[in-house]
Amino acid sequence: MRLPLNFIFGCMLIFFVLTVAILSLFWTPHNYSELNISMKFAPPSWLHWLGTDQLGRDVVSQLMVAAQNSVQVALIAVFIGGAIGTILGLIASAIGGIVEDVIMRLADLGFAFPALLFAIMLAASLGPSLNNAIMAIAFINIPIFARVSRGSAKQIWQREYVAAAKAAGHTKFTISLDHVLPNIMAPIIVQATIEFAVAILAEAALSYLGLGAQPPQPSWGRMLAEAQTLMYLAPELAIYPGLCIIIAVIGFGLLGDGLRDITDPRLKGNK
Amino acid sequence: MAFFIFRRVANFITTIFVVSIIVFAAMNVLPGDPALTILGLDATEDALESLREKLGLNEPLVKRYLFWVGNALRGNFGVSHSFSVPVSELIIERLPLTVSLAISGMICTIILAFFLGVVAAANHTRSGDWGVMIISQLGIAVPAFWLSILLVLLFAVKLRWLPPGGFPGWESPAEAIRSLIMPTLALTLVQSAVLARVTRSSMLEIMRQDYIRTARASGFNSRRILWLHTLPNALIPIVTIIGMQFAALVTGTIVIENVFYLPGLGKLIFQSISNRDLPTVQALVMLFAAIVIIANFIVDIAYSFIDPRLKERT
């Protein structure tokens, strides 16, 4: 089978982002938080590949650690939101009736709260922090995964092998776990990949607004917020973090599209 | 039709009601003492107690919720701690800017997205289509706040055509419009990327229908087929996305106003967070959530006018 181009490009970009993020756990060209005022706004050189910022900190090192931060937030938030949403979707499809109605109406309600509004509420009551940003991003993922898993699970419940399992006396719980969940993993993984892209954008926006990563933790969004105040002095500082966000978002977006093309070829070229 | 509208209105009221509970709970039930949040860690117990008394925090939660909702329904959102004026006054003062930004952003988004989507569908699998798809893929990946910074770098720092931020007030309309050009552009470019993709894909779906082939075989002009036969029938998914986009656009204004230092509701919400002004944050979050719910409600109702078959199904 020939793999779709978007899948291949997506894999390449994500491989690059993940490699940088993992590498930053062990090695960065410089200590990302090391101040060196005498070297402030240094231009790109062999010593500092993309130069330094207003406090003389190495830009590449900050971008690398920020990549790790973004990937971590996206992974945790999408995992939490995806797991809760999928469980709710499975319960809704297995039980049906009022329980299904209530779960799906609650899921609809979740759409009334964009991540930003939720993060604002948490920041106002608990104070701004990266954990609250993760909670906000996880929260918006719950209704998305509940819808996807319930929709896919409902189809699986119509299959003959599920009818056979029912006839054999299996409970709804074991059928959901043994037969339904494994068969709805494909659309859930596709959705998760797409939601990674959304989560990276959301984390960047929240950190930019001061509701996510707090100093001295580097984040692409926070680096942009700092760079904005220095636009007349060092405009290039506002370019690099944005490019990193785009690479990560496009990578996960293409990977999600590619996976969808592979798992459901009917949708190919029609998105 | 009446039953359809009744069901939608009932759904709308329930949603608003539950959302109001969530907003109230998030601000009042989550761990943390609002009085401590407002006064800070150095506050004395006496000061905290008197503020709790003043804010009614010693009352039972249900009573406080009913009091808040009852007042909010009469347009009274309480008094802002940081500005010492009624929150409703602050909202009325700043609403025109946010609404202008959202509406101008929405109109420009629809125009640009329809144009790009129709061009892409009409040139399916040719260079025009690829061009639009690549632009829209980029548009989806670019964060609005970064695009705003790039626009400032180009039009304010480099070319010096437009102001980098701020708002001179409506007293000088020309200057006011000039300062809204970049924010509108930033909102439009990002939002139209999504809408253009949906327009294209919906148009392609309709273009495969038999009646379009018949129209072509009957010798109708291809432009007429595109704009009069295909686009109106492709509108249903497009309207859904427009509704969702309006919601995204309204929350997008929160970010954009902060990038361009525009004194609208988005800026106010962040000022209120840093000033620990909980009544203002609570009112604004509820207002933004209500706008999102109202946008979805209007889309629901709009469906039935665009495609009367949907009324029968629901």
Side-chain angles (χ1 to χ4, degrees):
Chain A
M1 186 181 75
R2 234 183 104 208
L3 291 170
L5 265 182
N6 44 12
F7 178 78
I8 296 169
F9 278 123
C11 279
M12 282 161 58
L13 292 176
I14 292 313
F15 178 74
F16 173 68
V17 174
L18 290 182
T19 307
V20 170
I22 294 169
L23 183 65
S24 75
L25 289 169
F26 312 103
W27 176 85
T28 50
H30 297 266
N31 182 343
Y32 74 89
S33 57
E34 191 179 86
L35 307 182
N36 188 353
I37 300 293
S38 62
M39 285 290 284
K40 70 176 180 180
F41 297 127
S45 64
W46 280 114
L47 190 60
H48 297 286
W49 302 339
L50 291 178
T52 58
D53 68 2
Q54 74 279 16
L55 299 172
R57 291 171 299 189
D58 182 54
V59 172
V60 170
S61 307
Q62 288 190 71
L63 290 173
M64 286 176 72
V65 181
Q68 175 201 325
N69 180 51
S70 272
V71 171
Q72 262 179 9
V73 170
L75 267 176
I76 299 171
V78 174
F79 180 78
I80 296 174
I84 299 175
T86 305
I87 292 169
L88 288 174
L90 282 175
I91 294 173
S93 64
I95 299 178
I98 295 175
V99 174
E100 184 180 13
D101 271 356
V102 170
I103 291 177
M104 296 329 287
R105 286 287 84 79
L106 282 176
D108 286 347
L109 269 175
F111 288 107
F113 278 106
L116 182 56
L117 274 192
F118 202 73
I120 285 172
M121 281 198 301
L122 292 181
S125 51
L126 301 174
S129 75
L130 195 59
N131 284 345
N132 291 343
I134 293 175
M135 270 168 68
I137 300 170
F139 177 82
I140 55 154
N141 274 294
I142 295 174
I144 296 171
F145 281 91
R147 268 195 186 176
V148 171
S149 60
R150 178 235 182 200
S152 309
K154 280 210 97 92
Q155 288 173 7
I156 304 295
W157 277 98
Q158 309 298 324
R159 299 280 165 86
E160 282 167 359
Y161 55 83
V162 172
K166 269 191 220 162
H170 290 283
T171 61
K172 284 182 174 175
F173 178 74
T174 46
I175 294 174
S176 293
L177 222 57
D178 296 343
H179 300 285
V180 181
L181 184 61
N183 284 298
I184 63 167
M185 278 319 279
I188 287 176
I189 290 171
V190 171
Q191 194 64 42
T193 318
I194 294 166
E195 294 309 321
F196 274 136
V198 179
I200 284 176
L201 268 180
E203 187 278 329
L206 293 176
S207 295
Y208 170 80
L209 291 167
L211 301 178
Q214 300 297 312
Q217 192 168 30
S219 146
W220 292 331
R222 227 172 51 73
M223 287 174 77
L224 277 174
E226 282 177 16
Q228 196 187 352
T229 56
L230 306 161
M231 263 195 296
Y232 286 89
L233 286 169
E236 68 281 0
L237 290 179
I239 307 283
Y240 309 133
L243 287 177
C244 293
I245 297 171
I246 291 188
I247 290 173
V249 172
I250 290 186
F252 278 115
L254 287 177
L255 189 65
D257 279 356
L259 280 173
R260 190 163 47 189
D261 287 348
I262 293 169
T263 53
D264 192 353
R266 284 168 305 167
L267 296 169
K268 199 172 179 179
N270 204 17
K271 295 174 291 297
Chain B
M1 180 72 179
F3 181 66
F4 171 81
I5 303 245
F6 174 76
R7 268 190 66 159
R8 288 291 174 267
V9 171
N11 207 353
F12 166 72
I13 293 170
T14 317
T15 311
I16 288 269
F17 169 67
V18 180
V19 164
S20 73
I21 294 178
I22 297 173
V23 173
F24 181 81
M27 307 299 247
N28 296 276
V29 180
L30 282 179
D33 178 0
L36 192 67
T37 315
I38 292 164
L39 293 178
L41 293 171
D42 302 330
T44 61
E45 192 46 48
D46 284 348
L48 286 172
E49 191 49 42
S50 87
L51 185 63
R52 279 190 207 114
E53 195 62 42
K54 188 179 154 201
L55 297 177
L57 296 175
N58 293 331
E59 301 285 345
L61 262 183
V62 177
K63 195 174 166 190
R64 274 161 56 198
Y65 169 74
L66 292 175
F67 185 69
W68 176 62
V69 169
N71 280 336
L73 285 174
R74 287 193 294 263
N76 176 7
F77 293 100
V79 177
S80 155
H81 298 318
S82 47
F83 293 91
S84 301
V85 291
V87 176
S88 49
E89 258 178 45
L90 286 174
I91 291 176
I92 290 167
E93 192 183 297
R94 286 152 193 257
L95 193 65
L97 179 59
T98 305
V99 169
S100 323
L101 192 56
I103 290 179
S104 60
M106 196 72 245
I107 292 171
C108 294
T109 298
I110 292 173
I111 293 171
L112 186 64
F114 273 25
F115 176 73
L116 291 177
V118 172
V119 165
N123 295 289
H124 186 40
T125 68
R126 278 179 290 186
S127 56
D129 188 20
W130 281 104
V132 172
M133 288 300 277
I134 290 171
I135 292 171
S136 71
Q137 183 75 48
L138 266 176
I140 291 167
V142 173
F145 59 91
W146 187 56
L147 185 66
S148 310
I149 293 174
L150 293 185
L151 289 174
V152 172
L153 274 176
L154 179 65
F155 293 111
V157 177
K158 190 110 181 134
L159 300 171
R160 293 176 190 275
W161 289 352
L162 295 166
F167 186 71
W170 292 109
E171 295 78 34
S172 46
E175 283 304 304
I177 290 172
R178 241 166 71 84
S179 63
L180 288 181
I181 293 177
M182 275 200 286
T184 306
L185 206 57
L187 279 174
T188 301
L189 293 177
V190 172
Q191 297 294 331
S192 57
V194 183
L195 194 58
R197 274 170 89 96
V198 177
T199 308
R200 169 190 174 272
S201 115
S202 182
M203 292 279 291
L204 287 178
E205 195 73 43
I206 300 295
M207 281 160 88
R208 290 192 197 115
Q209 303 290 321
D210 288 342
Y211 59 84
I212 298 294
R213 202 177 311 139
T214 310
R216 261 198 215 113
S218 310
F220 281 126
N221 175 317
S222 61
R223 208 170 282 174
R224 180 184 161 160
I225 295 174
L226 206 62
W227 292 98
L228 291 182
H229 296 261
T230 314
L231 187 61
N233 286 301
L235 273 179
I236 291 184
I238 299 174
V239 168
T240 314
I241 300 293
I242 288 178
M244 285 161 71
Q245 289 226 289
F246 185 72
L249 212 108
V250 170
T251 45
T253 58
I254 300 179
V255 180
I256 296 293
E257 283 177 12
N258 281 282
V259 181
F260 290 100
Y261 306 103
L262 299 173
L265 296 178
K267 188 86 190 144
L268 178 63
I269 212 168
F270 275 88
Q271 281 173 325
S272 311
I273 290 176
S274 41
N275 294 336
R276 298 164 172 183
D277 188 351
L278 291 187
T280 312
V281 178
Q282 191 167 316
L284 288 172
V285 169
M286 188 62 219
L287 183 69
F288 276 107
I291 292 172
V292 173
I293 298 165
I294 290 168
N296 289 333
F297 171 68
I298 293 172
V299 167
D300 257 4
I301 299 288
Y303 278 157
S304 59
F305 290 100
I306 297 169
D307 186 353
R309 284 170 302 180
L310 286 176
K311 271 182 300 189
E312 286 146 30
R313 276 183 227 155
T314 46

